[in-house]
């Protein structure tokens, strides 16, 4: 039937006027004026078309926003939760993702994209700004790693046909392989640490940290180390590095055990080998706090974190003249290049040793 009364809704048209500052001859008199008019009208038509496209894109952006396609932020987030990746990889994606979000939030120019970012709005300019942000918030390897993960997500989007061009093309973060930001413990300091005892100490944390100083193990590997990885008769420890398990041919590491290491390992208390060697009862953050307290008690004025043990192992073994290939293999590095970054620290220590002798007054 016919509708009675007023319709329930009203369509609101958004009309915008924009002065283009283009003028045409009202009564063209010559061929030249007619040509000018034609060109001006063509230009006006082109501008109108572009504005219409922008309008449609905004509407389409709104539509896409509703069904979540083409949203880079959501796409990036999916990488942080993808079960196909190992846990360390997911964590690395997560760090990169969080850094990208905080970049969008803290950069006025890109703030409006923090909840929804269309794939094609990622420009080389935005990527460059992101790399600058990374260099500010992350040290050493961290910035490089986060950018690498970000680039990987972009490449996946291109492969899936969600993006046409690669905005990262030609934009790199150069890492200075020769800067080791972490503090390193000398052998004397490690011995001093081992001799420092105090009331509220955590023996498991101490044993595990010293073990890392003598083997170069990472926190995640030492924390999950079990007795079945130790061959007591041939005095060898064999394990897979969690960080590269399933990704690198070098993830399996074999370490010969010295008397000191066997002492730190101790004997298993139960039958069956799945007993953890270092029964640490806290998470990494808490372990680091306990470690720093211990370092302070030992009178060592350095900012030491768990990973310092790994760096110290590399520098100390190289300093004692160990072959770089050997150290590389003990640390489970996939290439010597990764081990080489410790060499300049050793050179610096030699330099310091020479300089520590002081100056001599002597007339030649």
């Amino acid at each position: 039937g016919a509708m009675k009364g007023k319709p329930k809704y009203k369509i609101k048209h958004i009309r915008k006027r924009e002065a283009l500052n283009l003028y045409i001859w009202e009564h063209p008199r010559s061929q030249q004026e007619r040509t000018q008019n034609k060109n001006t009208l063509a230009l006006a038509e082109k501008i109108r078309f572009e504005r219409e496209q922008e309008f449609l894109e905004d509407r389409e952006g709104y539509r896409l926003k509703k069904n979540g396609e083409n949203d880079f932020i959501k796409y990036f987030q999916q990488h942080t939760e993808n079960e196909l990746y190992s846990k360390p990889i997911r964590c690395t994606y997560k760090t990169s993702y969080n850094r990208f979000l905080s970049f969008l939030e803290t950069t006025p120019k890109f703030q409006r994209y923090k909840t929804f970012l269309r794939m094609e709005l990622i420009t080389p300019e935005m990527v460059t700004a992101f790399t600058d942000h990374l260099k500010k918030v992350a040290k050493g390897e961290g910035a490089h790693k986060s950018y690498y993960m970000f680039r990987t997500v972009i490449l996946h989007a291109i492969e899936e046909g969600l993006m046409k061009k690669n905005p990262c093309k030609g934009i790199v973060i150069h890492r200075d392989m020769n800067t080791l930001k972490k503090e390193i413990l000398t052998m004397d300091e490690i011995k001093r640490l081992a001799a420092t005892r105090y009331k509220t100490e955590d023996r498991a944390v101490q044993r595990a940290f010293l073990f890392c100083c003598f083997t170069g193990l990472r926190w995640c590997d030492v924390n999950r180390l079990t007795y079945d990885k130790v061959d007591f008769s041939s005095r060898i420890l064999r394990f897979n590095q969690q960080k590269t398990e399933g990704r690198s041919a070098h993830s399996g590491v074999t370490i010969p055990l010295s008397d000191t290491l066997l002492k730190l390992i101790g004997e298993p208390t139960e039958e069956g080998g799945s007993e953890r060697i270092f029964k640490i009862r806290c998470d990494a953050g808490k372990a680091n706090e306990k470690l720093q307290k211990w370092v302070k008690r030992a009178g060592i004025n350095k900012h030491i974190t768990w990973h310092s043990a790994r760096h110290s192992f590399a520098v100390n073994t190289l300093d004692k003249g160990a072959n770089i290939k050997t150290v590389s293999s003990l640390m489970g590095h996939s290439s010597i290049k990764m081990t080489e970054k410790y060499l300049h620290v050793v050179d610096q220590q030699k330099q310091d040793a020479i300089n520590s002798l002081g100056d001599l007054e002597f007339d030649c």
Side-chain angles (χ1 to χ4, degrees), residues 65 104 107-117 121:
K65 195 170 181 170
L104 292 176
T107 315
K109 191 169 183 180
F110 303 121
Q111 247 161 9
R112 63 178 184 277
Y113 301 126
K114 68 182 184 204
T115 49
F116 179 77
L117 171 58
L121 292 180

Side-chain angles (χ1 to χ4, degrees), residues 77-312:
Q77 192 194 358
Q78 285 163 357
H79 279 71
T80 67
E81 296 159 358
N82 190 337
E83 294 291 329
L84 292 172
Y85 301 124
S86 66
K87 194 166 172 238
I89 298 275
R90 285 203 303 272
C91 288
T92 323
Y93 272 124
K94 186 103 183 120
T95 306
S96 179
Y97 170 73
N98 289 337
R99 282 173 176 165
F100 184 63
L101 279 191
S102 83
F103 154 70
L104 292 176
E105 277 166 19
T106 54
T107 315
K109 191 169 183 180
F110 303 121
Q111 247 161 9
R112 63 178 184 277
Y113 301 126
K114 68 182 184 204
T115 49
F116 179 77
L117 171 58
R118 296 189 39 159
M119 298 274 189
E120 51 273 32
L121 292 180
I122 304 172
T123 57
E125 181 199 8
M126 184 192 274
V127 175
T128 306
F130 179 45
T131 57
D132 290 341
H133 171 82
L134 282 176
K135 285 181 214 161
K136 278 198 213 80
V137 298
K139 282 192 176 71
E141 198 68 10
H144 185 270
K145 202 63 176 271
S146 283
Y147 180 52
Y148 177 81
M149 292 327 241
F150 171 78
R151 261 193 356 230
T152 309
V153 176
I154 297 268
L155 289 174
H156 288 175
I158 292 169
E159 269 171 37
E160 288 181 37
L162 299 171
M163 275 175 98
K164 291 182 188 70
K165 287 206 298 266
N166 186 351
C168 301
K169 208 171 174 178
I171 302 167
V172 290
I173 287 188
H174 286 296
R175 49 183 165 175
D176 181 2
M177 288 306 266
N178 289 337
T179 54
L180 263 185
K181 298 280 193 292
K182 293 269 188 298
E183 293 257 24
I184 283 159
L185 292 166
T186 62
M187 281 317 296
D188 286 345
E189 287 169 332
I190 292 169
K191 283 173 186 160
R192 206 157 88 214
L193 202 53
T196 303
R197 305 292 306 262
Y198 60 101
K199 225 184 183 133
T200 56
E201 67 187 6
D202 183 328
R203 265 333 240 176
V205 166
Q206 294 179 347
R207 271 174 55 227
F209 183 74
L210 290 172
F211 189 80
C212 291
C213 289
F214 279 85
T215 56
L217 263 72
R218 296 183 185 87
W219 157 262
C220 56
D221 289 326
V222 81
N223 195 25
R224 63 174 196 161
L225 211 53
T226 49
Y227 279 103
D228 54 8
K229 302 281 187 279
V230 182
D231 181 341
F232 284 98
S233 58
S234 56
R235 299 169 64 118
I236 281 176
L237 171 76
R238 288 188 186 89
F239 71 99
N240 276 336
Q241 302 178 86
Q242 188 183 342
K243 187 176 175 184
T244 56
E245 206 164 11
R247 287 192 303 130
S248 164
H250 299 264
S251 71
V253 179
T254 305
I255 296 177
L257 298 170
S258 61
D259 289 343
T260 298
L261 292 174
L262 283 166
K263 202 159 97 190
L264 288 169
I265 287 173
E267 295 286 329
T269 53
E270 49 196 73
E271 287 297 312
S274 59
E275 182 190 345
R276 274 168 67 217
I277 296 177
F278 303 102
K279 296 174 186 63
I280 299 172
R281 309 233 179 275
C282 58
D283 64 359
K286 197 86 189 115
N288 255 327
E289 280 173 32
K290 291 180 174 184
L291 167 64
Q292 275 149 14
K293 198 169 168 185
W294 186 28
V295 169
K296 211 170 169 179
R297 283 287 173 101
I300 298 165
N301 189 19
K302 286 180 178 179
H303 178 66
I304 297 297
T305 64
W306 203 279
H307 212 61
S308 305
R310 186 166 167 82
H311 290 306
S312 304

Side-chain angles (χ1 to χ4, degrees), residues 310-359:
R310 186 166 167 82
H311 290 306
S312 304
F313 170 75
V315 170
N316 291 331
T317 46
L318 289 167
D319 196 37
K320 292 270 186 285
N323 177 316
I324 187 161
K325 186 92 184 79
T326 310
V327 177
S328 187
S329 158
L330 284 168
M331 294 187 77
H333 281 161
S334 52
S335 79
I336 291 252
K337 210 171 175 54
M338 299 173 77
T339 325
E340 278 174 349
K341 63 182 179 184
Y342 295 101
L343 286 175
H344 83 282
V345 184
V346 178
D347 290 341
Q348 185 56 51
Q349 287 185 344
K350 288 179 183 169
Q351 183 73 52
D352 293 345
I354 293 291
N355 293 346
S356 71
L357 297 174
D359 293 327

